[in-house]
Amino acid sequence: MTGGDGDRRPGERLLVVDDEPTVRELLSATLRFAGFAVTSAATGAEAVDAAARERPDLVLLDVMLPDLDGFQVVRRLRELARPPIPVLFLTARDSPKDKVTGLTLGGDDYVTKPFDLEELIARIRAVLRRTGSPEAATLVVGDLELDPEAHQTHRAGTPVRLSPTEFRLLHYLVVNAGRVVSKPQILEHVWQYDFAGDSSIVDTYISYLRRKLDPTGPRLIHTVHGVGYVLRRPR
């Protein structure tokens, strides 16, 4: 079994289970870049052992494994932990019967291969929200730490004082790290209403955040012209 920490987001620990090394490594790298802590396993037995040891907040589980199939793994996971660990099935088997079986056994979502990585990350976050995995834990991207519960932000260990609106904006960028978000999306989620007028308020607050975050390290927030903004971990 392989494993790793990446950018740790306590309360958002993922276990990736797939017997194909290329798929397993691609998923693990992508999810770490998105800010999750990731452990991986290649077999059903390894998955059960890892789940018992790590107690992940969500398992991405391939249905077709060399020893136990994904459905058998879910049965064992349900015996292992209370409350049950959320499971998102990954499979090339897309028959209605397989989907019904997976969801009946307690799977929380079902994604068919090949899948879009951005959509997969969105589905993961949706399952975490639905199942009540901690959203208030400290979020980490590179040297940036954001604690939603304490309403505190640190960059390279240095406290960063933010207004409530700046904090909400940064929080939205952090939970979507690596993903480009448009101005309308930002307005909807940060200001929580449809803003039909001048969207330059987004540019203004992005500028505020950059002035406060950039002096302590490499640029985190990048402009994607004609699309929106993205927060990326410095290379």
Side-chain angles (χ1 to χ4, degrees):
M1 188 179 77
T2 60
D5 289 336
D7 283 338
R8 182 168 295 278
R9 294 171 72 171
E12 292 190 359
R13 300 180 304 274
L14 307 183
L15 172 60
V16 174
V17 187
D18 198 298
D19 64 324
E20 297 182 35
T22 302
V23 174
R24 190 170 64 248
E25 290 165 12
L26 173 63
L27 281 173
S28 297
T30 300
L31 293 170
R32 288 188 186 112
F33 184 79
F36 297 101
V38 181
T39 301
S40 64
T43 67
E46 287 181 359
V48 174
D49 289 344
R53 184 175 60 255
E54 303 286 342
R55 190 56 172 89
D57 294 289
L58 183 143
V59 178
L60 276 77
L61 180 60
D62 186 25
V63 171
M64 301 181 70
L65 296 169
D67 50 350
L68 309 172
D69 68 25
F71 301 142
Q72 292 173 302
V73 172
V74 167
R75 290 189 182 97
R76 296 197 182 184
L77 292 180
R78 292 295 175 260
E79 297 170 358
L80 178 70
R82 290 290 183 273
I85 301 170
V87 172
L88 192 158
F89 283 109
L90 304 174
T91 181
R93 293 159 55 173
D94 61 352
S95 73
K97 180 180 178 181
D98 286 331
K99 292 182 180 180
V100 169
T101 299
L103 297 175
T104 300
L105 286 172
D108 295 275
D109 205 346
Y110 199 104
V111 177
T112 304
K113 298 178 181 178
F115 45 77
D116 178 81
L117 289 170
E118 287 191 4
E119 179 186 354
L120 178 63
I121 291 171
R123 300 275 279 272
I124 289 169
R125 288 178 172 141
V127 171
L128 289 171
R129 286 194 298 270
R130 285 202 309 269
T131 56
S133 294
E135 287 280 341
T138 300
L139 308 178
V140 180
V141 179
D143 61 359
L144 175 69
E145 298 181 13
L146 186 146
D147 185 340
E149 191 170 74
H151 211 277
Q152 294 178 345
T153 305
H154 291 77
R155 178 89 199 268
T158 301
V160 181
R161 295 176 62 88
L162 300 177
S163 72
T165 301
E166 290 167 349
F167 190 89
R168 287 197 304 271
L169 174 56
L170 182 60
H171 181 270
Y172 182 63
L173 293 172
V174 167
V175 298
N176 288 283
R179 178 184 177 193
V180 180
V181 290
S182 67
K183 290 182 185 180
Q185 287 175 314
I186 293 172
L187 286 166
E188 179 182 353
H189 288 86
V190 177
W191 279 266
Q192 298 182 344
Y193 58 82
D194 291 327
F195 191 83
D198 185 4
S199 63
S200 64
I201 189 172
V202 175
D203 303 319
T204 300
Y205 274 85
I206 289 289
S207 177
Y208 293 162
L209 283 180
R210 283 173 169 161
R211 285 205 296 266
K212 293 184 176 183
L213 295 174
D214 290 351
T216 53
R219 173 170 288 196
L220 287 169
I221 302 171
H222 301 268
T223 302
V224 180
H225 294 290
V227 183
Y229 296 98
V230 58
L231 186 144
R232 295 193 184 103
R233 178 176 58 181
R235 295 183 178 179

XYZ file of all heavy atoms in Angstrom, residues 85-129:
353
model
N -18.364 5.098 7.281
C -17.515 5.961 6.465
C -18.190 6.173 5.111
O -18.572 5.205 4.448
C -16.132 5.321 6.257
C -15.443 5.075 7.600
C -15.259 6.197 5.358
C -14.184 4.220 7.497
N -18.358 7.416 4.657
C -18.944 7.653 3.337
C -18.109 7.007 2.233
O -16.877 6.984 2.307
C -18.936 9.182 3.213
C -18.892 9.673 4.620
C -18.081 8.660 5.379
N -18.779 6.507 1.215
C -18.111 5.824 0.104
C -18.620 6.380 -1.218
O -19.830 6.523 -1.425
C -18.370 4.302 0.147
C -17.826 3.628 -1.114
C -17.741 3.686 1.392
N -17.673 6.704 -2.108
C -17.994 7.106 -3.473
C -17.406 6.041 -4.387
O -16.191 5.848 -4.424
C -17.410 8.488 -3.778
C -17.876 9.184 -5.062
C -17.651 10.689 -4.951
C -17.130 8.668 -6.282
N -18.270 5.299 -5.091
C -17.810 4.224 -5.957
C -17.232 4.782 -7.261
O -17.783 5.710 -7.855
C -18.965 3.282 -6.313
C -19.340 2.333 -5.214
C -20.526 2.481 -4.523
C -18.512 1.269 -4.882
C -20.886 1.604 -3.514
C -18.851 0.389 -3.866
C -20.046 0.557 -3.188
N -16.113 4.180 -7.700
C -15.514 4.461 -8.999
C -15.544 3.162 -9.792
O -15.014 2.150 -9.333
C -14.053 4.921 -8.844
C -13.787 6.125 -7.958
C -12.279 6.328 -7.802
C -14.422 7.366 -8.561
N -16.156 3.179 -10.961
C -16.259 1.916 -11.676
C -16.461 2.099 -13.166
O -16.994 3.119 -13.613
C -17.425 1.080 -11.116
O -17.496 -0.164 -11.799
C -18.747 1.818 -11.280
N -16.026 1.091 -13.923
C -16.300 1.052 -15.355
C -17.609 0.332 -15.623
O -18.100 0.308 -16.747
C -15.151 0.339 -16.080
N -18.178 -0.264 -14.580
C -19.447 -0.980 -14.709
C -20.578 0.014 -14.456
O -20.762 0.485 -13.341
C -19.502 -2.126 -13.691
C -18.505 -3.216 -13.976
C -18.179 -4.072 -12.768
N -19.360 -4.654 -12.137
C -19.289 -5.549 -11.149
N -18.106 -5.937 -10.690
N -20.385 -6.031 -10.610
N -21.336 0.308 -15.503
C -22.345 1.363 -15.383
C -23.778 0.841 -15.517
O -24.705 1.598 -15.797
C -22.110 2.472 -16.410
C -22.195 1.959 -17.843
O -22.291 0.736 -18.022
O -22.165 2.790 -18.768
N -23.968 -0.468 -15.305
C -25.322 -1.006 -15.426
C -26.180 -0.524 -14.259
O -25.679 -0.313 -13.147
C -25.288 -2.539 -15.430
O -25.003 -3.030 -14.130
N -27.480 -0.321 -14.499
C -28.367 0.094 -13.406
C -28.318 -0.858 -12.218
O -28.396 -0.430 -11.064
C -29.752 0.098 -14.075
C -29.470 0.321 -15.523
C -28.176 -0.393 -15.788
N -28.168 -2.165 -12.482
C -28.122 -3.147 -11.403
C -26.939 -2.887 -10.479
O -27.064 -2.945 -9.247
C -28.026 -4.562 -11.983
C -27.979 -5.645 -10.903
C -27.879 -7.030 -11.527
C -27.772 -8.111 -10.437
N -27.653 -9.475 -11.018
N -25.754 -2.605 -11.079
C -24.569 -2.326 -10.263
C -24.750 -1.063 -9.437
O -24.356 -1.000 -8.271
C -23.329 -2.184 -11.152
C -22.847 -3.528 -11.691
O -23.077 -4.544 -11.008
O -22.275 -3.551 -12.783
N -25.343 -0.033 -10.050
C -25.559 1.213 -9.324
C -26.497 1.004 -8.146
O -26.257 1.491 -7.038
C -26.106 2.293 -10.262
C -25.106 2.749 -11.308
C -25.682 3.850 -12.190
C -24.665 4.290 -13.232
N -25.164 5.345 -14.114
N -27.576 0.258 -8.389
C -28.531 -0.015 -7.315
C -27.860 -0.805 -6.201
O -28.047 -0.521 -5.009
C -29.758 -0.774 -7.863
C -30.626 -1.288 -6.714
C -30.576 0.125 -8.774
N -27.064 -1.811 -6.581
C -26.361 -2.614 -5.579
C -25.449 -1.747 -4.722
O -25.465 -1.816 -3.495
C -25.525 -3.718 -6.250
O -26.388 -4.577 -6.988
C -24.771 -4.540 -5.204
N -24.658 -0.903 -5.401
C -23.717 -0.054 -4.668
C -24.406 0.901 -3.720
O -24.008 1.048 -2.563
N -25.453 1.546 -4.178
C -26.140 2.523 -3.346
C -26.949 1.850 -2.244
O -27.080 2.374 -1.142
C -27.023 3.415 -4.212
C -26.257 4.259 -5.244
C -27.223 5.020 -6.149
C -25.303 5.240 -4.563
N -27.479 0.663 -2.533
C -28.235 -0.072 -1.518
C -27.332 -0.506 -0.376
O -27.742 -0.511 0.794
C -28.916 -1.312 -2.144
O -29.798 -0.880 -3.173
C -29.709 -2.088 -1.096
N -26.095 -0.870 -0.701
C -25.149 -1.293 0.330
C -24.670 -0.140 1.199
O -24.007 -0.354 2.207
C -23.937 -1.972 -0.320
C -24.177 -3.376 -0.871
C -22.955 -3.849 -1.645
C -24.496 -4.345 0.266
N -24.968 1.086 0.794
C -24.571 2.226 1.610
C -23.614 3.169 0.921
O -23.063 4.065 1.561
N -23.383 2.973 -0.385
C -22.556 3.931 -1.108
C -23.255 5.275 -1.170
O -24.487 5.353 -1.219
N -22.483 6.354 -1.145
C -23.064 7.696 -1.123
C -23.123 8.332 -2.502
O -23.858 9.294 -2.702
C -22.249 8.589 -0.166
C -22.345 8.102 1.269
O -23.303 8.479 1.945
O -21.469 7.322 1.680
N -22.343 7.822 -3.444
C -22.399 8.311 -4.819
C -21.718 7.278 -5.702
O -21.021 6.375 -5.206
C -21.724 9.676 -4.947
C -22.258 10.485 -6.130
O -22.942 9.899 -6.990
O -21.984 11.694 -6.187
N -21.901 7.418 -7.012
C -21.442 6.403 -7.961
C -20.949 7.126 -9.198
O -21.739 7.788 -9.875
C -22.625 5.490 -8.297
C -22.294 4.144 -8.878
C -22.375 2.993 -8.112
C -21.921 4.010 -10.211
C -22.106 1.743 -8.632
C -21.638 2.776 -10.753
C -21.731 1.630 -9.951
O -21.453 0.399 -10.482
N -19.649 7.055 -9.510
C -19.061 7.753 -10.654
C -18.507 6.720 -11.626
O -17.763 5.817 -11.234
C -17.944 8.712 -10.206
C -17.290 9.364 -11.417
C -18.496 9.772 -9.264
N -18.878 6.844 -12.890
C -18.466 5.887 -13.910
C -17.197 6.358 -14.617
O -17.068 7.525 -14.971
C -19.585 5.707 -14.951
O -20.780 5.307 -14.280
C -19.207 4.638 -15.969
N -16.246 5.447 -14.792
C -15.031 5.739 -15.547
C -15.333 5.743 -17.032
O -16.157 4.945 -17.483
C -13.954 4.686 -15.259
C -13.496 4.615 -13.812
C -12.464 3.502 -13.658
C -11.984 3.373 -12.226
N -11.013 2.260 -12.084
N -14.672 6.580 -17.826
C -13.756 7.655 -17.414
C -14.542 8.837 -16.856
O -15.680 9.065 -17.259
C -13.049 8.031 -18.722
C -14.060 7.719 -19.780
C -14.816 6.513 -19.298
N -13.935 9.560 -15.935
C -14.631 10.679 -15.306
C -13.797 11.945 -15.403
O -12.586 11.899 -15.597
C -14.927 10.372 -13.834
C -13.762 9.776 -13.095
C -12.703 10.560 -12.668
C -13.722 8.405 -12.858
C -11.623 10.008 -12.012
C -12.637 7.838 -12.193
C -11.584 8.651 -11.770
N -14.471 13.079 -15.295
C -13.805 14.374 -15.292
C -13.313 14.647 -13.875
O -14.085 14.546 -12.911
C -14.781 15.462 -15.737
C -14.155 16.835 -15.710
O -13.443 17.181 -16.662
O -14.373 17.556 -14.710
N -12.040 15.012 -13.731
C -11.465 15.180 -12.400
C -12.117 16.316 -11.619
O -12.338 16.206 -10.413
C -9.945 15.403 -12.502
C -9.138 14.161 -12.907
C -7.701 14.531 -13.211
C -9.195 13.108 -11.803
N -12.430 17.426 -12.293
C -13.076 18.539 -11.597
C -14.451 18.134 -11.088
O -14.851 18.488 -9.979
C -13.171 19.763 -12.507
C -11.846 20.463 -12.740
C -12.027 21.805 -13.430
O -13.179 22.211 -13.650
O -10.997 22.439 -13.722
N -15.173 17.384 -11.920
C -16.495 16.919 -11.483
C -16.357 15.966 -10.298
O -17.141 16.017 -9.344
C -17.219 16.208 -12.622
C -18.595 15.689 -12.205
C -19.266 14.848 -13.273
O -18.719 14.761 -14.392
O -20.332 14.287 -12.971
N -15.347 15.103 -10.347
C -15.133 14.167 -9.248
C -14.867 14.912 -7.943
O -15.423 14.568 -6.897
C -13.963 13.237 -9.569
C -13.603 12.233 -8.467
C -14.766 11.278 -8.206
C -12.343 11.456 -8.843
N -14.012 15.932 -7.990
C -13.731 16.712 -6.783
C -14.996 17.377 -6.262
O -15.253 17.404 -5.049
C -12.628 17.748 -7.068
C -11.288 17.035 -7.295
C -12.501 18.745 -5.909
C -10.181 17.951 -7.803
N -15.816 17.894 -7.181
C -17.082 18.513 -6.765
C -17.991 17.485 -6.111
O -18.654 17.777 -5.104
C -17.764 19.146 -7.973
N -18.024 16.265 -6.640
C -18.872 15.212 -6.073
C -18.361 14.809 -4.692
O -19.136 14.538 -3.773
C -18.896 14.000 -7.010
C -19.443 14.278 -8.397
C -20.945 14.195 -8.463
N -21.411 12.837 -8.576
C -21.575 12.175 -9.735
N -21.281 12.774 -10.893
N -22.050 10.960 -9.754
N -17.025 14.762 -4.538
C -16.438 14.442 -3.236
C -16.867 15.474 -2.201
O -17.306 15.137 -1.090
C -14.898 14.389 -3.337
C -14.451 13.164 -4.124
C -14.261 14.384 -1.936
C -12.988 13.176 -4.497
N -16.733 16.750 -2.553
C -17.099 17.811 -1.614
C -18.586 17.772 -1.288
O -18.995 18.042 -0.156
C -16.680 19.165 -2.178
C -15.159 19.356 -2.139
C -14.723 20.667 -2.736
N -13.299 20.871 -2.509
C -12.463 21.406 -3.372
N -12.902 21.813 -4.536
N -11.182 21.559 -3.079
N -19.400 17.429 -2.282
C -20.838 17.338 -2.046
C -21.149 16.214 -1.052
O -21.978 16.377 -0.153
C -21.581 17.107 -3.355
N -20.474 15.066 -1.201
C -20.692 13.959 -0.263
C -20.230 14.350 1.136
O -20.913 14.076 2.130
C -19.957 12.688 -0.738
C -20.007 11.611 0.349
C -20.570 12.155 -2.027
N -19.077 15.002 1.231
C -18.579 15.432 2.538
C -19.559 16.384 3.221
O -19.785 16.310 4.419
C -17.208 16.095 2.391
C -16.049 15.156 2.051
C -14.801 15.957 1.711
C -15.767 14.204 3.202
N -20.151 17.299 2.428
C -21.137 18.211 3.008
C -22.380 17.448 3.465
O -22.893 17.692 4.548
C -21.537 19.291 1.989
C -20.474 20.350 1.765
C -21.059 21.545 1.031
N -21.568 21.188 -0.295
C -20.830 21.216 -1.394
N -19.548 21.557 -1.342
N -21.373 20.890 -2.565
